[in-house]
Amino acid sequence: MNTQDAKRVLETALICAQQPLTLRELRTLFADGVGPDTLRSLLDELVRDWDGRGVELVAVASGWRFQSRPELREYLDRLHPEKPQRYSRAVMETLAIIAYRQPVTRGDIEDIRGVVVSTQIVKQLEDRGWIEVIGYREAPGRPALYATTRQFLDDLGLSNLEQLPLLSAGGEPGPELGQLLQAQSSLLEDGSQEAQAASEPAAASESESAPMASHAGAPVPALPDSDPEATEKVQADA
């Protein structure tokens, strides 16, 4: 099979896929007759082929996918004018702390935010598929260690944690992450009523809610008492 035909096969598979495709899955298209280096070269060519178009080929945490470019989001939203899902500031700050300081316990989050973390906030983020328990800290009570998931990175259009947006000096991570999430607002339209119901009134009243989005740049080091093995697992998963 020549290069052009191989690119057509990859392009068709990626356009028709319902979710990101891994390199291993893409190699099965050719019965493993195409090596990893050749496959990456073909994908890079496809990226260049689609440069300047309204759709782009990108690598996210779960694999490769085609997606609309963020600058065209406002036009596509006119087809479905529903308002994007909104999350309270408490939810955004909790998510941001986990994203930038992972792995962390609820106690770590409470120390940083200065308020009690609601069980409903944690459940909301877990139900969304953005955080998960990756282990337990060797401390009294063995508190659960939370980290972000591949789904979290996929929804942000990122391939790894290093692409999270850089924090400004002395800045809080919540607003930075919220701006990032707005670029993928279409991914957040489903389940807004359930999420709103799950968010506790006290958390919602902490401050005004923030819309979710996507795209971003680099993580803050883990807390000093974080579990090293859990940290290694997070980096490996990413």
Side-chain angles (χ1 to χ4, degrees):
M1 181 181 294
N2 60 43
T3 299
Q4 194 60 33
D5 287 342
K7 285 167 58 178
R8 287 181 60 199
V9 171
L10 287 173
E11 186 177 59
T12 302
L14 288 163
I15 289 176
C16 295
Q18 298 298 310
Q19 58 189 12
L21 297 177
T22 65
L23 292 177
R24 178 177 298 178
E25 290 172 325
L26 292 172
R27 287 187 64 187
T28 62
L29 295 169
F30 309 98
D32 290 331
V34 174
D37 292 340
T38 301
L39 182 60
R40 286 303 301 267
S41 178
L42 292 172
L43 289 169
D44 289 340
E45 287 187 32
L46 275 177
V47 170
R48 291 192 292 270
D49 290 346
W50 285 78
D51 186 36
R53 301 188 185 184
V55 174
E56 61 182 345
L57 176 61
V58 299
V60 293
S62 297
W64 289 75
R65 75 180 180 196
F66 276 106
Q67 65 182 30
S68 60
R69 293 185 183 275
E71 61 268 23
L72 299 179
R73 184 73 262 157
E74 63 174 297
Y75 302 100
L76 299 180
D77 284 344
R78 293 170 185 170
L79 295 174
H80 304 284
E82 299 90 348
K83 292 182 179 181
Q85 183 174 343
R86 300 178 72 86
Y87 290 83
S88 70
R89 178 176 177 180
V91 171
M92 288 301 301
E93 288 181 352
T94 300
L95 176 61
I97 290 170
I98 295 173
Y100 284 90
R101 297 292 190 94
Q102 60 187 300
V104 293
T105 65
R106 286 179 61 172
D108 295 331
I109 299 170
E110 291 171 353
D111 288 343
I112 294 172
R113 294 194 64 234
V115 295
V116 174
V117 176
S118 164
T119 299
Q120 290 299 326
I121 289 178
V122 175
K123 184 178 184 301
Q124 184 175 352
L125 293 173
E126 288 181 316
D127 290 345
R128 183 71 208 183
W130 283 341
I131 67 170
E132 63 182 348
V133 175
I134 63 167
Y136 298 87
R137 179 169 295 167
E138 292 299 333
R142 290 179 56 80
L145 287 164
Y146 292 95
T148 53
T149 63
R150 288 183 182 274
Q151 183 65 50
F152 167 73
L153 292 173
D154 286 350
D155 285 354
L156 292 181
L158 308 178
S159 61
N160 55 61
L161 293 171
E162 283 68 30
Q163 292 179 328
L164 284 169
L166 292 169
L167 299 180
S168 56
E172 296 181 356
E176 315 256 359
L177 196 57
Q179 293 170 6
L180 178 68
L181 288 165
Q182 287 170 350
Q184 304 290 350
S185 58
S186 63
L187 296 170
L188 305 162
E189 292 170 358
D190 58 298
S192 58
Q193 294 182 348
E194 292 83 350
Q196 184 176 2
S199 182
E200 66 167 358
S205 63
E206 264 189 67
S207 87
E208 60 187 50
S209 57
M212 304 302 280
S214 120
H215 290 326
V220 173
L223 294 171
D225 57 348
S226 293
D227 189 319
E229 293 184 2
T231 303
E232 291 176 5
K233 182 180 185 301
V234 172
Q235 298 298 334
D237 289 344

